[in-house]
Amino acid sequence: MKKPVTIRFSTSGPQAYLIRFTPGSKGLWGDFRFIVDEPVRTADWWVVLDNVVEKQTTQCPPENTLLITHETENIKRYDQKFIDQFNWVITCQRDMKHPRKIYTQQAHLWHVGWFGSGSGVDPKERKNLLVTYDKLSAITQIEKTGLLANVTSYKSRTSGQAMRREFLGKVKEHFGNRFHMFGAGIEHIRDKWDGIAPYRYYLAIDNSYIEDYWTSNLADAYLGGAYPIYYGHPSVFNYFSKDALTLIDIHDVEESIKTIEKVVQENYYEKHLKDIWEARRLVLDKYNIFALIADTIASLPQGNTPRQITLNPEYKPVFKKRLIEIINKVPLLNVVAKKIHHAYRGKLVGAAAEEEKKQEQWLHYLKKVEEDKKNKFASHEL
């Protein structure tokens, strides 16, 4: 029997019981055995997802180290010293400086079946409720009772998030109660599945328009068996059939709404049901984070001589601790630091209040749109 390749898989924090993405939740994928976020004395490969939470050490061939980035350049630029620790990098960031970059999708983690902190589910029960790879794979059909939906949040910290919020408001204004919106600050649902699975069409809007970058916004749509109407980079067609989704440009609201109407009126969901389910299979079995790692490692040259390797996190909390110690020892620095901190906190409180006010205004706007649509239909019936 062939010995499995042992992979130490380190992440930037608890990743919603990540092992659930593997068959039987056993951490095995083909000939590869994954040890997730646990100390490992010796490994054949060491893979890091985005960052490590603390300084870590393992015996591993230095050639067999791989970083997977999860952010675009307009959100985050990774520290060069951190990147240089790895022999390979899977990324969408074209400007990143590294001699061995692999440009491909980054297997963003699914959100369906994940009961996070905002779900309202008791933390002790979350692990028992998580939807696993096996459960998702066993599903062969999904009943649809609704038309069009989107799960999002009110966040507007980036230009992409603000634009998404504005676009969704316009779509709601046009479609009224044919379009259902869910998420934090809008309409609460425990699981993202509940905002996708009952609907034939799903508005999947990514915050960045970057080659080889698509996220759980699209993956979750397929897992819920919906036909995605998608805003993102056209390179998505390197991964899915052109019959499995329709692209829109949220910068052009009028044209996007025409496209959505066309998709609905011409029954794209029914026409492309086989394409949706094939895309769903790809999300589960090819673009899964464990499949991505296994396929990538199988295609790369292997180092065979283990050495003790130490990886440091991108931002060292030790530096922050040391800085605080220095400030506390110097009275003048301590006074200045407190004034800066109080001013900063004041700005945060003010910004939070302003954001809450905007959220209330937006929710009031959505409610008014809904009421106007109902009144319009009622007057037609009369």
Side-chain angles (χ1 to χ4, degrees):
M1 184 177 177
K2 186 178 178 181
K3 182 182 176 182
V5 176
T6 299
I7 301 172
R8 179 172 186 174
F9 188 19
S10 302
T11 72
S12 56
Q15 297 291 340
Y17 190 48
L18 191 58
I19 212 77
R20 74 186 176 104
F21 287 68
T22 61
S25 299
K26 295 178 179 179
L28 297 173
W29 195 275
D31 297 329
F32 300 87
R33 179 172 71 100
F34 291 83
I35 301 172
V36 183
D37 286 332
E38 292 182 15
V40 180
R41 181 175 294 178
T42 304
D44 298 306
W45 275 80
W46 194 353
V47 179
V48 170
L49 180 63
D50 206 58
N51 200 358
V52 290
V53 293
E54 59 186 0
K55 186 177 180 180
Q56 300 175 2
T57 301
T58 290
Q59 289 280 339
C60 176
E63 300 89 346
N64 297 358
T65 52
L66 170 68
L67 170 67
I68 303 173
T69 68
H70 255 192
E71 298 291 357
T72 59
E73 286 161 331
N74 60 333
I75 300 295
K76 174 182 177 180
R77 291 183 180 270
Y78 291 79
D79 182 74
Q80 193 62 47
K81 287 183 180 180
F82 176 71
I83 298 167
D84 290 341
Q85 298 178 108
F86 302 91
N87 194 46
W88 299 94
V89 180
I90 289 177
T91 188
C92 65
Q93 295 198 11
R94 263 58 183 178
D95 291 340
M96 179 184 287
K97 293 180 181 179
H98 193 281
R100 284 170 293 278
K101 291 186 292 184
I102 301 168
Y103 295 127
T104 187
Q105 63 91 22
Q106 303 87 55
H108 287 257
L109 308 180
W110 318 324
H111 284 181
V112 295
W114 170 39
F115 298 84
S117 58
S119 65
V121 174
D122 187 327
K124 295 178 182 178
E125 296 297 321
R126 286 175 196 163
K127 187 175 179 178
N128 298 327
L129 293 173
L130 289 171
V131 178
T132 64
Y133 169 90
D134 293 340
K135 289 180 181 178
L136 288 169
S137 296
I139 295 171
T140 57
Q141 63 180 25
I142 301 172
E143 183 181 357
K144 302 292 181 180
T145 55
L147 181 68
L148 176 67
N150 172 266
V151 180
T152 188
S153 72
Y154 181 77
K155 289 180 181 177
S156 58
R157 290 193 294 264
T158 69
S159 60
Q161 290 171 341
M163 189 174 298
R164 177 182 63 189
R165 187 186 70 187
E166 183 179 347
F167 174 75
L168 290 172
K170 294 296 183 183
V171 174
K172 182 65 176 176
E173 188 176 333
H174 177 84
F175 284 92
N177 57 12
R178 291 190 294 161
F179 174 44
H180 291 172
M181 295 174 63
F182 303 96
I186 305 170
E187 182 176 335
H188 179 264
I189 48 175
R190 290 206 320 169
D191 180 7
K192 194 173 180 180
W193 174 270
D194 299 329
I196 299 174
Y199 298 87
R200 296 197 294 279
Y201 303 98
Y202 184 75
L203 270 182
I205 303 173
D206 272 329
N207 295 325
S208 297
Y209 185 87
I210 303 290
E211 188 174 0
D212 293 313
Y213 180 81
W214 51 271
T215 71
S216 59
N217 287 316
L218 184 58
D220 288 342
Y222 287 130
L223 292 176
Y227 181 91
I229 301 167
Y230 177 63
Y231 171 70
H233 197 276
S235 60
V236 69
F237 292 125
N238 293 333
Y239 303 96
F240 300 106
S241 163
K242 289 186 176 181
D243 291 327
L245 72 148
T246 293
L247 286 181
I248 56 172
D249 180 3
I250 63 173
H251 300 87
D252 189 339
V253 177
E254 185 178 347
E255 192 60 35
S256 291
I257 288 175
K258 286 181 182 178
T259 299
I260 297 169
E261 283 285 15
K262 181 176 187 292
V263 166
V264 170
Q265 291 173 9
E266 296 186 9
N267 300 315
Y268 277 34
Y269 169 77
E270 288 80 5
K271 285 181 179 178
H272 301 299
L273 193 57
K274 287 184 177 179
D275 302 298
I276 296 169
W277 282 80
E278 171 58 16
R280 189 178 189 275
R281 184 193 68 79
L282 290 173
V283 168
L284 284 166
D285 295 329
K286 186 174 181 180
Y287 305 137
N288 180 318
I289 185 70
F290 293 98
L292 170 67
I293 294 170
D295 291 345
T296 300
I297 288 176
S299 69
L300 295 176
Q302 311 285 307
N304 298 310
T305 307
R307 272 183 20 208
Q308 182 169 297
I309 297 174
T310 298
L311 294 180
N312 293 296
E314 187 173 15
Y315 301 111
K316 299 180 182 178
V318 174
F319 173 76
K320 181 180 178 181
K321 183 179 178 182
R322 180 62 181 149
L323 184 61
I324 292 172
E325 289 174 354
I326 294 171
I327 289 172
N328 287 336
K329 287 179 180 179
V330 182
L332 181 59
L333 283 177
N334 190 275
V335 171
V336 172
K338 283 183 177 179
K339 285 184 177 180
I340 293 173
H341 177 70
H342 290 155
Y344 174 68
R345 291 298 301 170
K347 285 184 178 179
L348 284 182
V349 171
E354 184 64 26
E355 188 71 5
E356 186 175 345
K357 183 179 178 182
K358 287 181 179 178
Q359 180 175 351
E360 290 178 358
Q361 291 173 343
W362 195 54
L363 292 175
H364 177 74
Y365 164 74
L366 294 178
K367 186 177 180 180
K368 187 175 184 303
V369 166
E370 192 80 27
E371 290 174 352
D372 288 346
K373 284 287 181 180
K374 287 180 180 178
N375 292 336
K376 182 178 179 181
F377 289 132
S379 64
H380 285 173
E381 289 175 0
L382 293 173

